[in-house]
Amino acid sequence: MNRSTQLLSEVARHVVAPSGVTATGWPAVRDTCSRLGWEFDGWQEGAGKLILGKRPGGLYAADLVGLAIGRQVGKTYLFAALTFALCLLNPGLTVIWTAHRVKTAKETFNSMAGLASQDKVRPHIAQVIRGRGDESLLFTNGSRIMFGAREAGFGRGFTNVGVLMFDEAQILSESAMEDMIASQNVAENPLTILTGTPPRPRDPGEVFTTLRQDAIAGDSDDVLYIELSADPDCDSMDRSQWRKANPSFPNRTPERSMLRMFKNLSEDSFRREALGIWDAVSVHRPLVSPQRWAEMADVGPSDDVKPNAFGLDMSHGRSIAVSTCWIEGESAHIEMVWAGADPTVAVEWIAERAGRRIPVVVDAMSPAASMAQELKARRCSVSVTSAANMAQACGALENRIATDALTHGGQQEITDAILSARRRPIRDAGGWALDRSDPTSQIYPIVAATLALLAASSTRRPTNGERVSTRRGAVLL
């Protein structure tokens, strides 16, 4: 079928290029592919030039390459041809191609094994290894392309990886990224590529989303970001929008293929996966990086200092967290001070330590809200927050992180919670809350701490009365 002649600048919604590009390795790759019988669309040519853009000295200009693109547009073909050519041009090159799912990794391997069997390519291939978990293409010049799924633990332990391909980048956590990036530490000129569709709200898409947001905001000069997508407010069945998101429509991606996707996906999924449309409010950007969070750890106040407020939350599995917040001058300190599964024990523990004066906060939408009446019956100062209050609490948490006005006790439960937390939008003014919709995401310790921070920020610490230790250690169940 006819290839599209549209240029990248004519089809892409966003093209954010790295600075300092003075040359590109694309002509050699393009010519190698041409000898193998592989040709490119106009937009693929433009993307290839930028992906292989180099600074003076010959190193790739982009530390990270991000391509956000819908299904059936031609990204697998582009990167398959590009990596084949790089392997032929650079003897001994190691390429790791990783997807999130086993099924996707297997499908990609089968497609590239098909390319390797073509008459002009076969003489360059020493072996195609099809063993489960060991799928790879070995070249006669010592180069190799290895395939595997991140969900199966693939990618750790490799060294001197020249090209690292993260397919399904919309499902890529920061920890998985860090584990695999280490494989390129000794590579002479590493190339790291992330490609995928816009993440769903429940996907761990913080890496891909942060790359996009930083690139569009102009906060990165060593990142390449390319996005092909339809207009955010478009009619999902508008064929002109299909062409805008997918330059291969209707020549190589016929209408029936698009309709099949529409039939088999929800409309929201179709807009993400076929039209490349990102959610208007991203829920994936992490609140804080692991490195920054580690720097914020502190011992906090002494054990005999009462907190300014308690926060209470409960997981889908009915695990309970009680967190506290201390305010000292302009700084706040948060810790989880009790954890368990028995609401009665939790109520008694809180009532004994909070008394009548220290606020206890629980969100109205939390399963823990059922404990509010019992705490009130024990004459505790209980507040049940609304959605607006939760947006205020989360905004306060984000602001304190940004202004170095927050510390924490270094507890693993709160650390895991904040690093895995996702945002969900509240109303239309940019407010957001921590998203509890995923039952596998154990964010309740940081929700409890955020609620405590909200109350503590407007409460003076008690200066009289009995000194009561609330610190964790002896009370964790």
Side-chain angles (χ1 to χ4, degrees), residues 301 305-308 324-328 331-333 461 470-471:
V305 177
K306 286 187 177 184
N308 290 82
T324 47
C325 179
W326 291 261
I327 300 291
E328 185 67 39
S331 182
H333 181 83
R461 179 182 300 117
T470 60
R471 307 305 287 276

Side-chain angles (χ1 to χ4, degrees), residues 308-429:
N308 290 82
F310 289 81
L312 172 64
D313 197 38
M314 182 185 289
S315 71
H316 287 261
R318 304 195 67 77
S319 295
I320 302 166
V322 180
S323 297
T324 47
C325 179
W326 291 261
I327 300 291
E328 185 67 39
E330 298 299 319
S331 182
H333 181 83
I334 55 173
E335 290 189 16
M336 187 172 76
V337 294
W338 189 94
D342 190 328
T344 301
V345 175
V347 166
E348 294 295 340
W349 191 92
I350 295 170
E352 179 182 347
R353 288 155 178 82
R356 301 182 184 182
R357 299 186 61 184
I358 303 178
V360 181
V361 189
V362 60
D363 186 61
M365 300 305 293
S366 169
S370 61
M371 300 164 62
Q373 288 303 320
E374 296 181 47
L375 287 164
K376 289 179 180 179
R378 286 160 176 78
R379 307 186 74 176
C380 292
S381 176
V382 179
S383 297
V384 179
T385 60
S386 64
N389 298 139
M390 180 58 80
Q392 182 183 0
C394 292
L397 176 69
E398 185 173 36
N399 290 341
R400 283 189 173 273
I401 291 172
T403 59
D404 296 327
L406 181 71
T407 61
H408 62 90
Q411 297 160 312
Q412 193 62 47
E413 293 87 350
I414 285 189
T415 295
D416 291 343
I418 196 166
L419 295 183
S420 65
R422 308 280 184 270
R423 309 169 194 231
R424 62 174 177 84
I426 293 180
R427 299 176 181 169
D428 301 322

Side-chain angles (χ1 to χ4, degrees), residues 9 23 67 79 113 167 178 212 276 311 342 347 376 403 416 425 429 431 437 465:
S9 59
L67 177 60
F79 289 121
D167 201 354
E178 289 174 350
R212 176 182 189 259
D342 190 328
V347 166
K376 289 179 180 179
T403 59
D416 291 343
S437 62

Side-chain angles (χ1 to χ4, degrees), residues 1-8 11 26 38-48 73-74 77-78 246-249 251-252:
M1 294 185 181
N2 294 331
R3 293 196 169 273
S4 171
T5 59
Q6 291 178 290
L7 302 177
L8 179 65
V11 300
W26 178 250
W38 302 336
E39 303 297 334
F40 297 96
D41 285 350
W43 75 266
Q44 292 172 326
E45 289 259 4
V73 180
Y77 174 84
L78 168 63
N246 186 345
S248 72
F249 172 82
N251 291 334
R252 291 195 314 279

